[in-house]
Amino acid sequence: MKKILVTGGLGYIGSHTAVELQLEGYEVIIIDDLSNSNQQVVDGITTITGLVPTFVKLDLKDKTAVSDFFNRYSGIEGIIHFAASKAVGESVQRPLLYYENNITALVYLLQEVEKHQISNFIFSSSCTVYGEADQLPITEQAPIKVAMSPYGNTKQIGEEIIQDTCKISSVLKAISLRYFNPIGAHESAAIGELPLGVPQNLLPFITQTAIGKREQLTVFGDTYDTPDGTCVRDYIHVVDLAKAHVIALNRLINNQNTSSYEFFNLGTGKGSSVLEVIQSFERVSGVKLNCKIGERREGDVTAIFADTKKANEILGWKAEKTLDEATLSAWNWEQKINRS
Ligand code: WQD
């Protein structure tokens, strides 16, 4: 079996991707520093696939530990790099933590990729690289603007570092996947978005309010230039997102890439407002949500959703799950973790 290293593989998107990689027949090796996840996620993955991924607790900021890891684990066919800090708001408050964790760690990882001649690399990027879109839906040709947060800047810089490395490498091929808003959980409710601390993102805050862990959801502003005044985002089911990673990895392993560095938007192509997400949740859960309209949140863009033609036509991938399926899966997961 081909060995695939998944950094941050016990995290939200990483764990869902580990499941899809195992189902595809890959041997999965996970490294994670457990700063935003926990080791029980390994059991969740195994519950779904019946296969136990190799797990190594490792901090990618520890250059020596990273080097030792690659000396121990040879024959790695490809890497999917999720490990990073990802809260937009937190990155504004703690920029150096984000530059160290998201950039320095990437450099140490790529140095090992070069040393061990690993040729297939998938990077977890983000639609935040686009900033406020001039035109919607947004395509991969949209200009990369000045990032609106240090988090978004680390994704822009990360893409540039990988592209520059591919240019000089004789073996490295890479694909950056620009996620829009990942939501939902695996239908088994064996894995999902782990609630560590107060959720920054909309859907976990909704489900925690509905289950009674949070008092009330605040909608951050309803005076935006959108149909109902609330911000619009492209909410994509995390399992659709996970499947796209396997397709992108296969593309590289099978040498179907047309250049050494490629990048794709991963979204549904449909924009949904905050109020529409709340209405979807209330429809599928039967729970009336306690929410109020509050002040705008610093750094929020008015609207962004993906033009998905490139991924549809070149990767042959298309998001299949609906917003209702995603909100229901998130609710099932919230109820599951509050039972145990
Ligand atoms: C969505 C909307 C909020 C919470 C995320 C990730 C980022 C990147 C892009 C991957 C906004 C509103 C939220 C709340 C609210 N993904 N909201 N009340 O900011 O689009 O960014 O997707 O890289 O990493 O963070 O997502 O879920 O925080 O906000 O009204 O309590 O919901 O104002 O309009 P965002 P989000």
Side-chain angles (χ1 to χ4, degrees):
M1 275 199 280
K2 289 187 168 68
K3 283 182 208 167
I4 304 299
L5 171 62
V6 182
T7 75
L10 295 189
Y12 176 39
I13 306 169
S15 55
H16 286 83
T17 302
V19 163
E20 299 304 326
L21 285 167
Q22 287 185 325
L23 295 176
E24 184 82 0
Y26 287 111
E27 180 186 341
V28 172
I29 302 172
I30 290 172
I31 60 177
D32 200 299
D33 66 1
L34 299 180
S35 63
N36 194 25
S37 60
N38 68 49
Q39 199 161 334
Q40 280 93 324
V41 174
V42 175
D43 303 333
I45 293 167
T46 305
T47 299
I48 297 167
T49 63
L51 299 166
V52 184
T54 302
F55 167 62
V56 177
K57 186 174 184 295
L58 177 65
D59 179 352
L60 284 172
K61 299 189 295 295
D62 180 341
K63 188 179 172 71
T64 307
V66 174
S67 179
D68 292 347
F69 171 87
F70 281 92
N71 289 331
R72 261 180 66 204
Y73 290 86
S74 60
I76 288 173
E77 186 76 25
I79 297 177
I80 303 184
H81 179 45
F82 291 103
S85 302
K86 61 137 189 150
V88 172
E90 182 188 47
S91 76
V92 174
Q93 307 307 324
R94 305 179 66 188
L96 290 179
L97 177 134
Y98 275 69
Y99 288 113
E100 185 187 37
N101 202 34
N102 295 8
I103 302 297
T104 308
L106 172 64
V107 171
Y108 292 162
L109 185 63
L110 288 172
Q111 286 169 335
E112 295 303 319
V113 163
E114 272 199 303
K115 188 169 136 193
H116 295 273
Q117 294 286 284
I118 296 168
S119 56
N120 304 297
F121 194 89
I122 303 288
F123 180 57
S124 167
S125 190
S126 164
C127 64
T128 43
V129 300
Y130 296 118
E132 186 82 64
D134 298 327
Q135 198 179 339
L136 289 172
I138 200 159
T139 73
E140 289 86 348
Q141 282 65 49
I144 301 295
K145 294 184 175 171
V146 173
M148 293 181 70
S149 69
Y151 164 79
N153 202 25
T154 66
K155 292 301 181 182
Q156 287 181 4
I157 297 168
E159 288 197 12
E160 289 165 6
I161 291 171
I162 294 164
Q163 187 169 15
D164 289 344
T165 309
C166 288
K167 274 184 196 146
I168 53 92
S169 168
S170 55
V171 295
L172 184 60
K173 303 166 277 169
I175 292 177
S176 286
L177 297 175
R178 294 173 178 170
Y179 312 153
F180 282 69
N181 288 53
I183 59 169
H186 192 270
E187 62 190 4
S188 64
I191 54 175
E193 191 166 8
L194 269 189
L196 302 180
V198 178
Q200 298 291 310
N201 294 130
L202 178 63
L203 196 48
F205 209 107
I206 287 176
T207 58
Q208 288 191 17
T209 302
I211 203 111
K213 277 174 84 168
R214 305 284 159 209
E215 184 57 36
Q216 182 179 54
L217 170 80
T218 301
V219 173
F220 295 144
D222 68 346
T223 59
Y224 286 94
D225 182 15
T226 62
D228 65 17
T230 63
C231 293
V232 170
R233 295 287 185 277
D234 186 331
Y235 294 95
I236 176 170
H237 195 296
V238 65
V239 172
D240 278 332
L241 203 55
K243 290 177 189 290
H245 287 73
V246 178
I247 291 170
L249 179 71
N250 289 341
R251 177 177 173 84
L252 292 181
I253 289 177
N254 299 327
N255 294 304
Q256 294 166 315
N257 54 303
T258 53
S259 73
S260 64
Y261 179 71
E262 298 177 312
F263 47 92
F264 297 89
N265 286 343
L266 293 185
T268 65
K270 181 180 176 311
S272 301
S273 73
V274 175
L275 292 181
E276 285 172 328
V277 175
I278 292 170
Q279 286 148 18
S280 165
F281 175 78
E282 292 183 332
R283 186 166 51 244
V284 301
S285 66
V287 173
K288 180 85 183 83
L289 200 69
N290 178 11
C291 63
K292 69 174 181 181
I293 304 293
E295 293 304 309
R296 291 186 173 193
R297 180 174 71 176
E298 190 70 28
D300 272 337
V301 299
T302 301
I304 185 166
F305 54 94
D307 179 310
T308 61
K309 264 197 287 306
K310 191 178 173 188
N312 299 157
E313 290 168 6
I314 294 178
L315 292 182
W317 167 89
K318 187 169 172 50
E320 292 162 0
K321 294 177 182 296
T322 63
L323 179 62
D324 280 9
E325 285 175 285
T327 53
L328 179 58
S329 65
W331 180 229
N332 291 338
W333 166 249
E334 185 68 61
Q335 293 176 97
K336 157 80 181 305
I337 56 178
N338 281 280
R339 274 197 294 276
S340 47

